[in-house]
Coordinates of all heavy atoms in Angstrom, one line a residue:
T1 N 101.9 88.5 99.2 CA 103.2 89.0 99.6 C 103.1 90.5 99.9 O 102.1 91.1 99.7 CB 104.2 88.9 98.4 OG1 103.8 89.8 97.3 CG2 104.2 87.4 97.8
K2 N 104.2 91.0 100.5 CA 104.2 92.4 100.9 C 103.9 93.3 99.7 O 103.1 94.3 99.8 CB 105.5 92.8 101.5 CG 105.7 94.2 102.0 CD 107.0 94.5 102.6 CE 107.2 95.9 103.0 NZ 108.6 96.2 103.5
D3 N 104.5 93.0 98.5 CA 104.3 93.8 97.3 C 102.9 93.7 96.8 O 102.3 94.7 96.4 CB 105.3 93.4 96.3 CG 106.7 93.9 96.5 OD1 106.9 94.6 97.6 OD2 107.6 93.7 95.7
V4 N 102.3 92.5 96.8 CA 101.0 92.3 96.3 C 100.0 93.0 97.2 O 99.0 93.7 96.7 CB 100.7 90.8 96.2 CG1 99.2 90.6 96.1 CG2 101.4 90.2 95.0
E5 N 100.2 93.0 98.5 CA 99.3 93.7 99.4 C 99.3 95.2 99.1 O 98.3 95.8 99.2 CB 99.7 93.4 100.9 CG 98.8 94.1 101.9 CD 99.1 93.8 103.3 OE1 99.9 92.9 103.5 OE2 98.5 94.4 104.2
K6 N 100.5 95.7 98.8 CA 100.6 97.1 98.5 C 99.7 97.5 97.3 O 99.0 98.5 97.3 CB 102.0 97.5 98.2 CG 102.4 98.9 98.4 CD 104.0 99.1 98.3 CE 104.4 100.5 98.7 NZ 105.8 100.6 98.8
V7 N 99.7 96.7 96.3 CA 98.9 96.9 95.1 C 97.4 96.9 95.5 O 96.6 97.7 95.0 CB 99.2 95.9 94.0 CG1 98.3 96.2 92.8 CG2 100.7 96.1 93.6
I8 N 97.0 95.9 96.2 CA 95.6 95.7 96.6 C 95.1 96.9 97.4 O 94.0 97.5 97.1 CB 95.3 94.4 97.4 CG1 95.7 93.2 96.6 CG2 93.9 94.3 97.9 CD1 95.7 91.9 97.4
R9 N 95.9 97.4 98.3 CA 95.5 98.5 99.1 C 95.5 99.8 98.3 O 94.6 100.7 98.5 CB 96.5 98.7 100.3 CG 96.4 97.6 101.3 CD 97.1 97.9 102.6 NE 97.0 96.7 103.6 CZ 96.0 96.5 104.3 NH1 94.9 97.3 104.3 NH2 96.0 95.4 105.1
A10 N 96.4 99.9 97.3 CA 96.4 101.1 96.5 C 95.2 101.1 95.6 O 94.5 102.1 95.4 CB 97.7 101.1 95.6
A11 N 94.8 99.9 95.1 CA 93.5 99.8 94.3 C 92.3 100.2 95.1 O 91.4 100.9 94.7 CB 93.4 98.4 93.8
A12 N 92.3 99.7 96.4 CA 91.2 100.1 97.3 C 91.1 101.6 97.5 O 90.0 102.2 97.4 CB 91.4 99.4 98.6
R13 N 92.2 102.2 97.7 CA 92.2 103.7 98.0 C 91.9 104.5 96.7 O 91.1 105.5 96.8 CB 93.6 104.1 98.5 CG 93.8 103.5 99.9 CD 95.2 103.8 100.5 NE 95.4 102.9 101.6 CZ 96.5 103.0 102.4 NH1 97.4 104.0 102.2 NH2 96.7 102.2 103.4
A14 N 92.3 104.0 95.5 CA 92.0 104.7 94.3 C 90.5 104.5 94.0 O 89.8 105.4 93.5 CB 92.8 104.1 93.1
H15 N 89.9 103.3 94.3 CA 88.5 103.1 94.2 C 87.7 104.1 95.1 O 86.7 104.7 94.6 CB 88.1 101.7 94.6 CG 86.7 101.5 95.0 ND1 85.7 101.5 94.1 CD2 86.1 101.4 96.3 CE1 84.5 101.4 94.8 NE2 84.8 101.3 96.1
K16 N 88.1 104.3 96.3 CA 87.4 105.2 97.2 C 87.5 106.6 96.8 O 86.6 107.4 97.0 CB 88.0 105.0 98.6 CG 87.7 103.6 99.2 CD 88.0 103.6 100.7 CE 87.1 104.4 101.5 NZ 87.4 104.3 103.0
M17 N 88.6 107.0 96.0 CA 88.7 108.4 95.5 C 88.0 108.6 94.2 O 87.6 109.7 93.9 CB 90.2 108.7 95.4 CG 90.9 108.9 96.7 SD 92.6 109.5 96.4 CE 93.5 107.9 96.2
T18 N 87.7 107.5 93.5 CA 87.1 107.7 92.1 C 85.8 107.0 92.0 O 85.0 107.4 91.1 CB 88.1 107.1 91.1 OG1 88.2 105.7 91.3 CG2 89.4 107.8 91.1
G19 N 85.5 106.0 92.7 CA 84.2 105.3 92.6 C 84.2 104.2 91.5 O 83.2 103.5 91.4
V20 N 85.3 104.0 90.8 CA 85.3 103.0 89.8 C 85.5 101.6 90.5 O 86.1 101.5 91.5 CB 86.4 103.2 88.7 CG1 86.2 104.5 88.0 CG2 87.8 103.0 89.2
P21 N 84.9 100.5 89.9 CA 85.0 99.2 90.6 C 86.3 98.6 90.4 O 87.2 99.0 89.7 CB 83.9 98.4 89.8 CG 83.8 99.0 88.5 CD 84.1 100.5 88.7
I22 N 86.5 97.5 91.2 CA 87.7 96.7 91.3 C 87.5 95.3 90.7 O 86.6 94.6 91.1 CB 88.2 96.6 92.7 CG1 88.5 98.0 93.3 CG2 89.5 95.8 92.8 CD1 88.8 98.0 94.8
M23 N 88.4 94.9 89.9 CA 88.5 93.5 89.4 C 89.8 92.9 89.9 O 90.8 93.5 89.9 CB 88.4 93.4 87.9 CG 88.5 92.0 87.3 SD 88.7 92.0 85.5 CE 87.2 92.7 85.0
T24 N 89.7 91.6 90.4 CA 90.9 90.9 90.8 C 91.2 89.7 89.9 O 90.3 89.2 89.3 CB 90.9 90.5 92.3 OG1 90.1 89.3 92.3 CG2 90.3 91.6 93.2
H25 N 92.5 89.3 90.0 CA 92.9 88.0 89.5 C 93.1 87.2 90.8 O 93.9 87.6 91.7 CB 94.2 88.1 88.7 CG 94.9 86.8 88.5 ND1 95.0 86.1 87.3 CD2 95.6 86.0 89.4 CE1 95.7 85.0 87.5 NE2 96.1 85.0 88.8
S26 N 92.4 86.1 90.9 CA 92.5 85.3 92.2 C 92.9 83.9 91.8 O 92.9 83.4 90.6 CB 91.2 85.3 93.0 OG 90.3 84.5 92.4
H27 N 93.3 83.1 92.8 CA 93.8 81.7 92.7 C 93.0 80.9 93.7 O 93.4 80.8 94.9 CB 95.3 81.6 92.9 CG 95.8 80.3 92.7 ND1 96.2 79.4 93.7 CD2 96.2 79.7 91.5 CE1 96.7 78.3 93.2 NE2 96.7 78.4 91.9
P28 N 91.8 80.4 93.3 CA 90.9 79.7 94.2 C 91.6 78.6 95.0 O 91.3 78.4 96.2 CB 89.8 79.1 93.3 CG 89.8 80.1 92.1 CD 91.2 80.4 91.9
A29 N 92.5 77.8 94.4 CA 93.2 76.7 95.1 C 93.9 77.2 96.3 O 94.1 76.4 97.3 CB 94.1 76.0 94.1
S30 N 94.3 78.5 96.3 CA 95.0 79.0 97.5 C 94.1 79.9 98.3 O 94.6 80.5 99.3 CB 96.2 79.9 97.0 OG 97.1 79.1 96.2
G31 N 92.9 80.0 97.9 CA 91.9 80.8 98.7 C 92.2 82.3 98.7 O 91.7 83.0 99.6
T32 N 92.8 82.7 97.6 CA 93.2 84.2 97.6 C 92.1 85.1 97.4 O 92.2 86.3 97.7 CB 94.3 84.4 96.6 OG1 93.9 84.1 95.3 CG2 95.6 83.6 96.9
G33 N 91.0 84.7 96.9 CA 89.8 85.6 96.7 C 89.4 86.1 98.1 O 89.0 87.3 98.3
L34 N 89.3 85.2 99.1 CA 88.9 85.6 100.4 C 90.0 86.5 101.0 O 89.6 87.5 101.7 CB 88.8 84.3 101.3 CG 87.6 83.4 100.9 CD1 87.7 82.1 101.7 CD2 86.3 84.1 101.2
K35 N 91.2 86.3 100.8 CA 92.3 87.1 101.3 C 92.2 88.5 100.7 O 92.5 89.5 101.4 CB 93.7 86.5 101.1 CG 93.8 85.2 101.8 CD 95.1 84.4 101.4 CE 95.2 83.0 102.1 NZ 96.3 82.3 101.6
Q36 N 91.9 88.6 99.4 CA 91.8 89.9 98.8 C 90.6 90.6 99.4 O 90.7 91.8 99.7 CB 91.5 89.7 97.3 CG 92.7 89.2 96.5 CD 92.3 88.8 95.1 OE1 91.2 88.5 94.8 NE2 93.3 88.7 94.2
L37 N 89.5 90.0 99.6 CA 88.4 90.6 100.3 C 88.7 91.1 101.7 O 88.3 92.2 102.1 CB 87.2 89.7 100.3 CG 86.5 89.4 99.0 CD1 85.5 88.2 99.1 CD2 85.7 90.7 98.5
D38 N 89.5 90.3 102.4 CA 89.9 90.8 103.7 C 90.6 92.2 103.7 O 90.3 93.1 104.4 CB 90.9 89.8 104.4 CG 90.2 88.5 104.8 OD1 89.0 88.5 105.0 OD2 91.0 87.5 105.0
I39 N 91.5 92.3 102.7 CA 92.3 93.6 102.6 C 91.4 94.7 102.1 O 91.4 95.8 102.6 CB 93.5 93.4 101.7 CG1 94.5 92.4 102.3 CG2 94.2 94.7 101.5 CD1 95.6 91.9 101.4
L40 N 90.6 94.4 101.1 CA 89.8 95.4 100.5 C 88.7 95.9 101.5 O 88.5 97.1 101.6 CB 89.1 94.9 99.2 CG 90.0 94.6 98.0 CD1 89.2 93.8 97.0 CD2 90.5 95.8 97.4
Q41 N 88.1 95.0 102.2 CA 87.2 95.4 103.2 C 87.8 96.2 104.4 O 87.3 97.1 105.0 CB 86.4 94.2 103.7 CG 85.4 93.7 102.7 CD 84.5 92.6 103.2 OE1 84.8 91.4 103.1 NE2 83.4 93.0 103.8
E42 N 89.1 95.8 104.7 CA 89.8 96.5 105.8 C 90.0 98.0 105.3 O 90.1 98.9 106.1 CB 91.1 95.8 106.0 CG 91.9 96.4 107.2 CD 93.2 95.6 107.4 OE1 93.1 94.4 107.5 OE2 94.3 96.2 107.4
E43 N 90.2 98.2 104.0 CA 90.4 99.5 103.4 C 89.0 100.3 103.2 O 89.0 101.4 102.8 CB 91.1 99.4 102.1 CG 92.6 99.1 102.2 CD 93.5 100.2 102.7 OE1 93.0 101.4 102.6 OE2 94.6 99.9 103.2
G44 N 87.9 99.6 103.6 CA 86.6 100.3 103.5 C 85.9 100.1 102.2 O 85.0 100.9 101.9
V45 N 86.3 99.1 101.4 CA 85.6 98.9 100.1 C 84.4 98.1 100.3 O 84.4 97.0 101.0 CB 86.6 98.2 99.1 CG1 85.8 97.9 97.8 CG2 87.8 99.0 98.8
D46 N 83.3 98.5 99.7 CA 82.0 97.7 99.7 C 82.2 96.5 98.7 O 82.5 96.7 97.5 CB 80.9 98.6 99.2 CG 79.5 97.9 99.3 OD1 79.5 96.7 99.3 OD2 78.5 98.6 99.2

């Protein structure tokens, strides 16, 4: 959702500023792990 995407992008940007890693809660049946990676990688997260 729009709100969830906002949190993922904020986590990505905080990671880039601090270097601490990111953990997600995903829902495999909906394929959301891949969608999370799309956004995180778009934000430049390794």
Side-chain angles (χ1 to χ4, degrees):
T1 67
K2 181 179 178 181
D3 284 4
V4 163
E5 181 175 351
K6 201 168 189 176
V7 178
I8 298 171
R9 291 191 184 278
R13 294 178 193 184
H15 158 75
K16 291 188 72 179
M17 286 185 275
T18 63
V20 305
I22 299 170
M23 177 188 295
T24 78
H25 163 110
S26 75
H27 186 257
S30 304
T32 60
L34 293 170
K35 295 171 186 175
Q36 289 170 338
L37 286 166
D38 287 342
I39 297 168
L40 292 169
Q41 289 185 269
E42 187 178 308
E43 289 283 339
V45 176
D46 184 340

